[in-house]
Structures are given as C-alpha cells and as structure tokens.
Amino acid sequence: MLLAASTNRCYSYPVLSKHLFDCLDSIRDILSSRPRCLAFDIDGTISEIAPTPQQAFVTAACRNSLRALVPYFDVVAAVSGRSADDARAMIAVDGLIYIGNHGLEEWAGGSVLSRPDAEFYKSRIEEVLHELARRSQIAGVLIENKGVTASIHYRRATQPKVARAAILQAIQEVKAAKTLEVFEGKMVVELRPQVKGAKGSALRRLVEFYKLASVIYLGDDVTDVDAFIMLQKLRAARGLSTLAIAVLGFETPPQVLDHAEVTLDGVSEVERFLVWLAKEAAGKDTPTI
Ligand SMILES: [Mg+2]
C-alpha cells in the first residue's frame, strides 16, 4: 500500500495516517511539468539493506521499471553514497545518470568524473583508513574505501553501539582525519572531504544543467534529507514541481520522516510505485528518445 507521510514522529517504525492514493493527482500534476526528472538513492530505496554493501542488489522489478521509465523522463538519475562506478554496475540500466559518493562524482561518457576539489582528498582518505585499520580492530566492522569518501560499516558487529563509539573515538584520535567531515547513516560512519556539496547540490546541478521543471526524489537515509531540503528550496525559489518520497524501514531516521512529503513502505512498495509511475508517464507522453 502506498502511504503519505504522517505528522507523527516515530523513531522505530512510523505510524502512518494517509494513503499516497490521495496524492496521486498531485503526482500527475508534477509529471505534466517538463523537462521532468526521476532521481533516487540506491541502498534502502531500490535495493534492500544487506549485511554488507557487496551483498546488496537492485531488485529485478525495480530494474525493469527503471528501464521502462527512461524513455519517458528527461532525466533519470541514481544519486548514491556508493562510488559512481559501483552504482552503475549495481543498477546496470542504460540511459541513467549515475551520481556517486553523495554527489561528489558522476559517471559520464564511459568514465567517472570527480569534483576536482574532492579529488584532492583521495590520498587523505587512504591515509586515514590505513591508520584506522592499524589502530583499531573491531570485530564485524567493514572499512570501505570509495575514493573521495569512505564508509565504515558496523552492521555486522555483535554490539553495534559499542562498535559505533569505538569507530568515532578512533577517528578522533587520527590527526589526518581532522581534515575530513564525519557523517552518520544507517549503521555506518562516513568520512567525506571538507568540500561543500552533497546530494542536494547534485540535484541542484541537474536542475540547472537540464533546466528541469519537475523532480521526484526517493531516498531512505540521513544523506537523502539534504536532497529533500534542496527540493523544498527549489520549489520555493523557482517554482519547481517537486516531491520528496521517503522509503521506510525499521531503521528510518526521524529527520527523514520530518522532511519527506510522502512515504513508501520499503523497497517492495517502491517497486509498485515505479510500475504505477511508468504507466502514468507512458500514458501521458511519447518517449523522450
Ligand atoms: Mg540509502
């Protein structure tokens, strides 16, 4: 069932009050504004959260719908915390724009382009991860070097809270880490360069470059809140038609609910929403390519 965001704050699993069914006409209005864009996160949005990033996969239903949607949207973009290369390999749908590392790099024309100011930090990230691995051996913690950012996952730790505290403590003790920003998501600590820009900035660049009139965005974690807020700003400043959709799960952070306009109940409901969206988009327009 498709559901709209509740005003109730809930920190484990939300109580929902209203069906997205009530919002379908609004979404149809958004679809009528061209050029239009569908953008989405990957993990927890079109892919179930898995014990390790390598075990996660995009469901066949989502992939098929994305293929069906590409001809009917002017821009279809994956905006992920994964590297752009990884995001592309995982989704494997032609015609998409793959934005990786929370907006710091983009797969385009056969190669990955990192923002030059972020590129500078690659060696720093490597140095910090090397030092973290040398200093702290925490069972169940997985360190992932993604080039211009890094993820330290503690999902498999037997005591996640203890592991999280140990990771944050170790980061504090590594001198080189002071030149990086520390973020947290679902069972993960992220190290990112001290450069402005995240998923929201990436969305704004898409809007400006493609002169978009409408954007629908789906995401599930704290990093997606940046995109949700940017959509609100673009709507207020430029009259863009936008919709921020939160994909819910047992770990949904409260701020995700606070900034979303509509919620979907997990990846399975995203699958159903994308099928509906593809039918709606195809019914209204001839393909864009
Ligand atoms: Mg996610």
Side-chain angles (χ1 to χ4, degrees):
M1 188 175 293
L2 303 172
L3 300 164
S6 166
T7 52
N8 298 332
R9 287 171 67 94
C10 182
Y11 298 90
S12 55
Y13 202 81
V15 176
L16 300 161
S17 64
K18 196 178 171 198
H19 293 85
L20 178 62
F21 189 78
D22 296 337
C23 306
L24 296 185
D25 282 343
S26 312
I27 298 175
R28 290 185 181 106
D29 283 345
I30 291 170
L31 290 176
S32 67
S33 300
R34 302 290 292 263
R36 63 189 178 201
C37 167
L38 172 68
F40 49 87
D41 167 58
I42 298 179
D43 294 85
T45 299
I46 59 167
S47 159
E48 299 284 1
I49 301 276
T52 68
Q54 294 75 21
Q55 288 172 279
F57 61 91
V58 174
T59 68
C62 282
R63 181 176 291 111
N64 290 339
S65 285
L66 291 176
R67 283 203 181 104
L69 282 158
V70 164
Y72 295 101
F73 274 77
D74 302 286
V75 174
V76 180
V79 188
S80 176
R82 290 175 181 263
S83 71
D85 254 343
D86 191 12
R88 180 173 169 271
M90 195 170 170
I91 297 178
V93 172
D94 291 336
L96 265 63
I97 293 171
Y98 292 98
I99 295 170
N101 273 316
H102 306 278
L104 296 178
E105 61 179 24
E106 180 176 330
W107 189 93
S111 61
V112 172
L113 301 173
S114 299
R115 278 179 40 172
D117 49 353
E119 184 78 19
F120 165 80
Y121 285 85
K122 273 187 175 176
S123 57
R124 186 62 51 87
I125 294 269
E126 202 166 306
E127 179 187 347
V128 171
L129 293 186
H130 177 76
E131 188 64 17
L132 283 178
R134 191 182 69 79
R135 283 171 181 241
S136 55
Q137 298 289 330
I138 309 165
V141 168
L142 174 70
I143 294 177
E144 186 186 14
N145 185 345
K146 301 185 294 185
V148 294
T149 74
S151 295
I152 304 156
H153 304 267
Y154 53 91
R155 181 169 299 280
R156 291 197 303 172
T158 49
Q159 293 182 290
K161 284 183 181 174
V162 174
R164 172 183 170 271
I167 292 164
L168 292 174
Q169 179 66 32
I171 289 171
Q172 272 206 336
E173 290 169 1
V174 175
K175 194 176 167 191
K178 299 198 187 315
T179 58
L180 302 172
E181 299 277 5
V182 179
F183 292 85
E184 292 192 68
K186 292 177 174 175
M187 301 279 191
V188 65
V189 176
E190 297 259 3
L191 295 173
R192 302 184 204 167
Q194 283 183 337
V195 298
K196 280 196 171 172
K199 288 191 173 186
S201 303
L203 270 187
R204 193 185 61 221
R205 285 199 301 278
L206 286 181
V207 167
E208 289 171 352
F209 188 80
Y210 293 98
K211 300 185 174 17
L212 297 173
S214 61
V215 180
I216 297 172
Y217 183 87
L218 299 92
D220 75 305
D221 206 347
V222 177
T223 183
D224 299 301
V225 171
D226 190 62
F228 292 171
I229 291 171
M230 180 57 73
L231 290 188
Q232 290 164 8
K233 287 181 181 173
L234 290 168
R235 186 164 60 200
R238 304 185 189 190
L240 215 70
S241 297
T242 67
L243 186 68
I245 302 178
V247 182
L248 304 181
F250 289 102
E251 300 169 14
T252 301
Q255 56 269 54
V256 171
L257 273 179
D258 288 346
H259 290 90
E261 293 151 301
V262 174
T263 63
L264 294 177
D265 193 7
V267 175
S268 61
E269 200 141 54
V270 172
E271 292 174 349
R272 292 197 285 281
F273 174 68
L274 293 180
V275 167
W276 177 86
L277 193 62
K279 284 181 180 168
E280 278 297 313
K284 280 183 181 294
D285 291 300
T286 51
T288 57
I289 54 174

